[in-house]
Structure formats: C-alpha cells, structure tokens
Amino acid sequence: MPFAVESDAGVFTYLLENLGVKNVQFEELLTLEPESLAALHPVYGVIFLFKYPTDTPYTATDKPLDGAFDHNAAERLFFAAQTIQNACGTQALLSVLLNKTGENGNQEGNSSNDSDDDQVIDIGDRLRDFREFTMVLPPEFRGEALSNSELIRDVHNSFARSSPFVDETARTGNEETEDAFHFIAYTQVNGTLYELDGLQPAPISHGACSGSGPEDFNHKVMEVLQRRVARYDLAEIRFNLLAMVRDPRVRARQIGDADALARENRKRRDWQFENALRRHNFVGFSGAVLSAVVEAKLNEDGDGSGAAYKKWVEEATAKTRTRLEHKRKGGGGGDVEMGG
C-alpha cells in the first residue's frame, strides 16, 4: 500500500462500502465539543489525524504521554501493529470497525440511550472471515495480514493518491523538517476507552467509559483529544477528526423524513463525484494547460522579448519565497488532507 488516503468523510465512507460494510458512514467534526459527537448518535469511534512529532520520540516503550498501555487487551481486541507504509488511515478505520462486530464480549453502549445493537456493525462476510483468521495472531502478524489482504489492499489503493508528506514509519532522524502526519483511532470496548495506534506497542487505555455522564464516550474522547491538541504550539492548526457513525439514511427511512433522506442522498452523490475526480490523473491535462499559459505569456509582448513572461516568473518566485518564510516562522501551512 504505497499511497496515503485523504482525511475526507466521503473517501472514508466509500472505503467502508467497498469493504462490504453495511449502514455506516463518516462525518467530519469541526469542534472538540462533546455535543458535536452526541448529535451524530450512535457513534462507533473516531479517527484523528495529527502532525507526527519530529522533535521527540513518538513510539513509547514503557508509558504513553496519556493513558496507560493495556497489553492484555491485544488478546481480546483487534489491534494490529503498523508494518506497512502510508496505510495508517485504512488501519485506523479497521481498528474501529473490527472492534464493533459484537464479538469482543459485552459491547457496552457509549451513551445512556445506547443499546448493544447500537454498537454492532455488519462488516460483511469477507471482513468477518479476515477478523476471525487474524484474532488468533499476535499484533505484529495481524499487521502483516493487513498488508497481504487482497480485499483491503485493493480497496485502499482504489481511493489513494500520492502523498506529499514523509511517511512517519520511515523516518531515520536525519531528514529535514518536512511535515509528516498520522491517523489513529479511538473507540469504546467493554466499558473502556481505547486509543488504537499501530505504531505503539499495545492498545492505550484511557479509563472507564460508561454509558452516561462525564464518562460517556462523547465526553471522554473529547477530553483526551483536547489534552493531545494542547501539547502542540498554538500556531499548529493542522488536525482533522472524523466520526464513524450509523448511516443517517437508515433513521430517515425509519421515521419517514423525506427531507433528511433527500439531503443525505444528495451528499452521497457529491461524494461520488469528488471521489471520481480523485481517481483521475490530471497530470497530462495540467501539463498541457501550463504549456499553453507559458506560450501565451511568451507571446504577450508581441516583440519576442519575453518581458511579460519574465515578470510573471519573478512575481511567482517572490510569492513562493514569502509563503515559505511565513511557514518557517510558524505561520502554519493550511489544511491537511492526507496522512501516513
């Protein structure tokens, strides 16, 4: 899996569908307020994209920065070591998905209104067979099984595009300061909030996650994420949070809400169009457009001097230098779309 997938609700939703998952989709969250999650009930888990730290070691051996390693949990949860490059988005998705099959024991709900059925996902026969096969393996071999799964590899690559970011698993410590990004998953299993990160040696427990009050999933996971974000410089804004939820069209059909159903179907059509554009290779088209623009600039003066072209290049170079200088001073680099 040589490519990274975009941190986009439409991309992740169609990853789910192509994997054979029923009645589940992703929604992007714009705040870290528990109410934003509560409005999406039922929520199966969240996937968090963040800047991979380059100044301190990331993988812990004794104790994580927050929470505690639960080495025994790897026996009963689906937890896989990340053994391949640029697949952490798909792996984070599976870390939530394969722990919501109803096969981890008592799947307690994540709010006072949750039932056991609210936390069980129909993952389809092929993923169910994959889970059954890999649960008897240790985490490092589960990671290898992920890379060798034809289903997962083909679905991942069908939505992937080349990433401009350095892969976090391949860092040696000698690289320049190019930014790298990483996906991790948070989900609740059997009354405990777990952080599932294939670069760590074990699942990370963040304590009791009961069915109501300040320890429900919505409050608990947002508190953990707020502490994590607070460890970054105030200028760092490149985070992304996606929630795995039940397909809203299911509820709309149940209650006969035609407006909500039409709205959700329209959103799906938009996602399909955007995903079709992502699959298309625009390199040739872009090259032809650029050649035409350059030719027009060279001929703009009419005397063959190319003065307009030279001025155009100088202005573009100056703007690029200004942006790079702004970034070096901590001004941030805009939105982040992809991770490793």
Side-chain angles (χ1 to χ4, degrees), residues 15-245:
L15 277 170
L16 287 172
E17 292 202 349
N18 285 8
L19 286 168
V21 180
K22 307 295 184 183
N23 299 326
V24 181
Q25 75 175 44
F26 277 90
E27 294 286 351
E28 184 173 8
L29 294 165
L30 302 180
T31 75
L32 293 180
E33 298 301 322
E35 292 76 17
S36 63
L37 267 184
L40 299 173
H41 170 83
V43 179
Y44 304 114
V46 298
I47 293 178
F48 183 56
L49 173 68
F50 59 96
K51 181 181 175 182
Y52 184 84
T54 57
D55 54 346
T56 58
Y58 177 70
T59 302
T61 56
D62 51 355
K63 187 180 185 304
L65 292 175
D66 195 12
F69 286 127
D70 187 345
H71 292 276
N72 294 328
E75 297 296 324
R76 60 183 184 276
L77 305 182
F78 180 85
F79 174 76
Q82 185 175 333
T83 62
I84 48 179
Q85 296 181 2
N86 289 331
C88 61
T90 299
Q91 186 156 333
L93 177 152
L94 292 169
S95 292
V96 176
L97 196 62
L98 298 184
N99 283 303
K100 292 297 176 179
T101 63
E103 301 176 51
N104 291 330
N106 179 30
Q107 295 269 7
E108 297 179 16
N110 64 19
S111 80
S112 57
N113 297 319
D114 275 339
S115 66
D116 288 346
D117 289 342
D118 283 332
Q119 288 298 299
V120 175
I121 296 175
D122 180 1
I123 64 173
D125 292 338
R126 296 182 69 182
L127 276 184
R128 192 174 297 110
D129 290 344
F130 173 81
R131 185 187 188 281
E132 182 179 350
F133 169 74
T134 57
M135 283 302 291
V136 299
L137 304 173
E140 57 270 24
F141 292 130
R142 291 177 193 165
E144 292 294 339
L146 280 174
S147 66
N148 291 323
S149 167
E150 182 178 352
L151 169 67
I152 295 170
R153 182 177 61 250
D154 290 349
V155 171
H156 172 97
N157 286 336
S158 72
F159 282 90
R161 71 182 187 185
S162 298
S163 171
F165 300 121
V166 176
D167 174 58
E168 72 279 359
T169 61
R171 301 190 69 88
T172 65
N174 298 320
E175 296 88 347
E176 298 296 327
T177 58
E178 185 177 2
D179 294 333
F181 296 84
H182 184 51
F183 287 100
I184 57 175
Y186 292 88
T187 190
Q188 180 261 42
V189 182
N190 294 334
T192 300
L193 173 62
Y194 284 104
E195 175 184 331
L196 302 173
D197 180 353
L199 296 183
Q200 300 293 357
I204 298 174
S205 169
H206 290 283
C209 191
S210 62
S212 62
E215 288 190 344
D216 75 356
F217 178 80
N218 304 326
H219 287 82
K220 193 84 172 178
V221 73
M222 288 307 193
E223 289 176 359
V224 172
L225 289 172
Q226 287 167 6
R227 290 196 298 269
R228 187 170 200 130
V229 170
R231 294 199 290 267
Y232 286 80
D233 187 273
L234 291 176
E236 180 56 66
I237 60 172
R238 293 168 293 177
F239 303 100
N240 188 266
L241 185 61
L242 299 174
M244 186 187 291
V245 303

